[in-house]
Amino acid sequence: MQTNEAGDVYDVIVVGSGAGLVGALAAASRGLRTLVIEKTEFIGGTTAYSGSGLWLPGNAAELRAGVDSGPDEARPYLDAIVGDDAPSALREIFLQTGAPMIDELESHSWLGQFYWQGVPDYFENAPNSLPGGRTIFPQPLDRSELGNLEPLVRRPQWAERSGAHPGDVMTGGQALIARLLLAFVETGNGEIRTNTPLTRLAVEDGRVAGVEATSEGESIVLRARRGVLLAAGGYERNLELRQKYQPEVTGEWSQGAPGNTGDALVAGMDIGAATDLLEEAWFAPGLVIPDERPVFYTSVWSGIWVNDAGERFMNERLPYDRSGHEILRAQQNSDVSHIPVHWVFDQKQFDNERAFASPPVAPQSPGWFDADRFLAAGLLQKADTLEELAEKIGVPAEALVASIEKFNEYALSGKDEEFGRGDAPWDKIIVPMCGAHEDGPNPCLGVISKPPYYAAQIVLSDLGTKGGLKTDDHSRVLKEDGSVIAGLYASGNTMAPMTGRIYPGAGGPVGSSMVFSYLAALDMADQNA
C-alpha cells in the first residue's frame, strides 16, 4: 500500500491513523482521493490500545438500547462540567454531529451496528448525568476478515508489552480501527502509507497545500487540493514538550502510542496556529511494574492510597481522569509529595482469586502481577506490621496507622465520611469488574487487617496529552487572531479539546476525535473542486 513517489497529489491528506480514519473514510466515501500517512509501522495509534468506548449522546445505538439522551439532555451535563474551558460552539457541534456520524458509519457494511453498554458518566453530581452512561462500542471482528491488511493494525497494548498473541477476535479499539480500515480501502479512493512521518506543512499563497514527509530516508512532498487533517495524537512521548508544559509528569509514564511526539502539533505551531490547554492530558493513575511502563489503572480493588505524610487524600475509586487530576492537584498544592502514591493493602488482596487476575483494564495476561518479581524490583514492599511497612516506604508510622484505622471504621459502617468512596455509580461498577473483597455493608470499602501488609507505587500516567491547536466548529485550525488557516484542520489530541479540562465519560477522547475528524471531511468535501 505504500509508494515513495514524490509530488503525489491528493484531495485530502490525513496525518495519523487513529480515530482520524473516520475523517479519511468520510472523505473517500464522497469521492475524494484520500491519503493517510502514519509515522510508525502500524496504524491505529492510541485508539488501537483503547477499549474504544465512544461517548456520543443520542445516537442510534443508544436509541436501540432504550437510552434517551439526545443533545438537549446531554447539553446541561457538558455545559456544567466543561464551563468556560472550551468554546461552547465546539460542544454544540459535537452534540449535533455525533448521531448522524454514527448513522453514516453504520451504513458501511464493515462497520456494522454499534452497541450501547452501561458505563456511568464520570461526573455523577452534574445535571443530567446518567448512571448508565452514553457510551457505545464497535462490534468485535474476527481477525481473519482483514486478510493481508491484518499485520498493519497495531496490537492491543497488553499484547505489545507481553509479546503474546492478541487472539483471533479483535475487540475494542483494535476492532474499530480494523473496521474503519476495511471500509476505507473498500471505497477505492483511499491509500495508506506507514513509516511516513510528517516533517512540516507545505504552505503556498497563505494556504496549506500539502505536507512534507519522510519515506525510506528521503524527503517527499505530498500535495492536498482540499486540505490536510492533523489527527496524529498528542505530544506525550516528547520529553522537551512535557518538561515545558507538564513538568510534574514524564512521558515514561504515558500509555500513549510510541509515535506520539507532537510532530503535527509543532508543525501547526510553526505556521502560526494558536494553541490551548497544552498543560492538560487525559490523566490516569499508573501502577508501576517491573521493566515496563506503568499499567493503566482505573481504580483500586482494595486498600487505600496515602501520600508521603502517610495520609489518605482522595476517593481511590474516582474515574481515572478525575483521579489523575486529583493526584496532580495534590502534588501542585502541597509541600508533601503525592507522586508516587503509596497503595497500601493487606493479604486479602492476594487471597481474592480475581483481584490480580488482570489489571483493571483486563488484558489477557495471566500472572502479570508476580509478587516475587515486584518485590525483587523494589516496587512492592511487604511487612508483618503496618509500622514496619511505614518504615519501608518512608512515611510516618503513626500517620499510616491512623489513616488505616479511620478507613476501617468507614468500611465497617459502610460510609466513607471523608471522600465518599462507594457512593457514585462508577465506584460501584468497578466492584464486579475487579472483584474487590467485601468485609462490610459497602463492597467498595474493605477492612485492612490481615497481615502481611503491602505497598505498591502509583504514579501519574495518562492516555495521551490533550492540549492542541485551536479550531472552529468545522475543525479548521485558527490563528491567534481567530482567523482560519486555510487548508488546515485538526482533531483528536492534536486539537485543543472541546471537553476542556474534563473527561465526560468512557470514550470521550475517541468519540470527540471521530466527530471532529468527520466534520473536517465534510468541510473539505463541501469545497468547490
Side-chain angles (χ1 to χ4, degrees):
M1 297 180 64
Q2 180 166 338
T3 65
N4 293 302
E5 298 173 9
D8 283 355
V9 179
Y10 298 85
D11 295 308
V12 173
I13 295 175
V14 178
V15 181
S17 63
L21 284 177
V22 170
L25 173 59
S29 297
R30 287 162 172 76
L32 301 181
R33 188 174 183 230
T34 304
L35 171 68
V36 176
I37 63 170
E38 164 58 42
K39 178 179 182 178
T40 72
E41 62 184 302
F42 301 115
I43 69 165
T46 305
T47 300
Y49 288 160
S50 75
S52 201
L54 314 174
W55 196 86
L56 294 168
N59 61 75
E62 291 177 354
L63 296 177
R64 287 192 294 267
V67 179
D68 184 14
S69 176
D72 290 341
E73 289 75 21
R75 188 178 298 109
Y77 176 75
L78 272 182
D79 285 347
I81 60 179
V82 176
D84 297 328
D85 289 330
S88 60
L90 297 185
R91 297 198 293 277
E92 189 59 32
I93 196 66
F94 169 80
L95 290 171
Q96 298 297 335
T97 305
M101 178 192 73
I102 290 297
D103 289 342
E104 180 171 329
L105 291 177
E106 290 192 340
S107 73
H108 293 278
S109 60
W110 280 116
L111 270 300
Q113 287 194 339
F114 292 83
Y115 66 94
W116 173 86
Q117 182 172 312
V119 183
D121 285 338
Y122 287 172
F123 290 82
E124 67 278 3
N125 294 322
N128 290 7
S129 177
L130 293 184
R134 300 168 164 96
T135 300
I136 65 172
F137 295 84
Q139 296 287 345
L141 180 71
D142 193 289
R143 191 172 296 277
S144 64
E145 296 278 6
L146 277 164
N148 62 5
L149 296 175
E150 192 278 333
L152 280 178
V153 180
R154 182 171 291 283
R155 297 302 192 247
Q157 189 181 66
W158 64 266
E160 276 194 349
R161 289 185 173 197
S162 67
H165 188 275
D168 295 332
V169 177
M170 294 176 155
T171 60
Q174 262 223 317
L176 177 66
I177 293 298
R179 288 182 177 280
L180 288 170
L181 172 62
L182 288 165
F184 177 61
V185 171
E186 189 176 66
T187 66
N189 296 314
E191 179 184 344
I192 293 180
R193 302 190 188 190
T194 56
N195 296 308
T196 306
L198 170 74
T199 53
R200 61 181 59 85
L201 294 165
V203 180
E204 296 177 1
D205 299 323
R207 177 185 177 86
V208 173
V211 301
E212 295 181 31
T214 302
S215 179
E216 295 188 351
E218 297 183 0
S219 180
I220 60 174
V221 176
L222 303 164
R223 300 188 178 277
R225 300 183 186 93
R226 304 290 183 99
V228 173
L229 169 60
L230 301 178
Y235 66 84
E236 57 267 20
R237 298 292 192 109
N238 185 314
L239 177 62
E240 181 180 353
L241 290 180
R242 291 222 88 147
Q243 289 179 336
K244 181 176 182 179
Y245 297 112
Q246 299 178 0
E248 297 87 358
V249 294
T250 168
E252 294 304 309
W253 295 341
S254 178
Q255 310 295 316
N260 292 356
T261 54
D263 305 349
L265 171 67
V266 172
M269 294 167 67
D270 284 346
I271 65 167
T275 61
D276 197 15
L277 297 174
L278 291 178
E279 71 278 12
E280 277 293 339
W282 307 100
F283 288 117
L287 174 63
V288 182
I289 65 176
D291 305 321
E292 295 181 24
R293 289 173 176 268
V295 170
F296 170 41
Y297 186 88
T298 56
S299 82
V300 301
W301 304 279
S302 65
I304 61 171
W305 290 353
V306 299
N307 56 25
D308 270 4
E311 298 171 344
R312 186 169 175 244
F313 61 96
M314 62 177 288
N315 172 7
E316 300 89 346
R317 283 182 180 266
L318 284 175
Y320 40 94
D321 183 66
R322 288 178 61 188
S323 182
H325 274 93
E326 195 64 34
I327 293 171
L328 180 60
R329 275 191 290 271
Q331 180 73 9
Q332 292 175 334
N333 298 321
S334 172
D335 293 333
V336 175
S337 176
H338 290 73
I339 303 176
V341 173
H342 306 287
W343 173 28
V344 178
F345 53 91
D346 66 4
Q347 182 60 35
K348 289 193 293 294
Q349 173 77 16
F350 285 98
D351 293 345
N352 187 328
E353 292 181 359
R354 294 180 57 199
F356 283 125
S358 63
V361 288
Q364 305 304 307
S365 302
W368 72 276
F369 197 105
D370 182 335
D372 290 338
R373 182 165 168 254
F374 274 67
L375 287 164
L379 299 177
L380 183 68
Q381 299 297 329
K382 177 181 179 182
D384 291 329
T385 68
L386 289 172
E387 289 82 359
E388 182 185 352
L389 184 69
E391 182 178 354
K392 286 189 173 185
I393 63 176
V395 305
E398 183 177 346
L400 178 61
V401 171
S403 294
I404 289 178
E405 287 178 347
K406 183 181 292 187
F407 180 78
N408 286 346
E409 291 176 6
Y410 299 152
L412 293 172
S413 71
K415 178 66 175 177
D416 178 359
E417 300 289 351
E418 280 187 291
F419 304 109
R421 177 166 148 185
D423 292 349
W426 171 264
D427 293 16
K428 296 169 185 175
I429 198 174
I430 288 296
V431 174
M433 289 170 62
C434 299
H437 59 70
E438 304 177 18
D439 293 294
N442 188 333
C444 299
L445 306 174
V447 173
I448 305 168
S449 61
K450 184 179 180 180
Y453 300 97
Y454 300 86
Q457 296 179 19
I458 302 292
V459 294
L460 184 57
S461 184
D462 60 72
L463 312 183
T465 57
K466 69 172 179 175
L469 307 178
K470 284 187 176 181
T471 64
D472 66 6
D473 56 4
H474 296 284
S475 302
R476 299 179 299 185
V477 175
L478 304 176
K479 298 178 183 178
E480 288 290 353
D481 63 5
S483 62
V484 169
I485 298 179
L488 186 62
Y489 301 79
S491 66
N493 290 348
T494 309
M495 165 191 167
M498 72 92 189
T499 53
R501 300 181 186 279
I502 61 88
Y503 199 134
V510 180
S512 58
S513 179
M514 291 171 65
V515 165
F516 286 95
S517 299
Y518 181 72
L519 286 166
L522 295 186
D523 194 74
M524 287 185 271
D526 284 344
Q527 296 175 19
N528 293 326

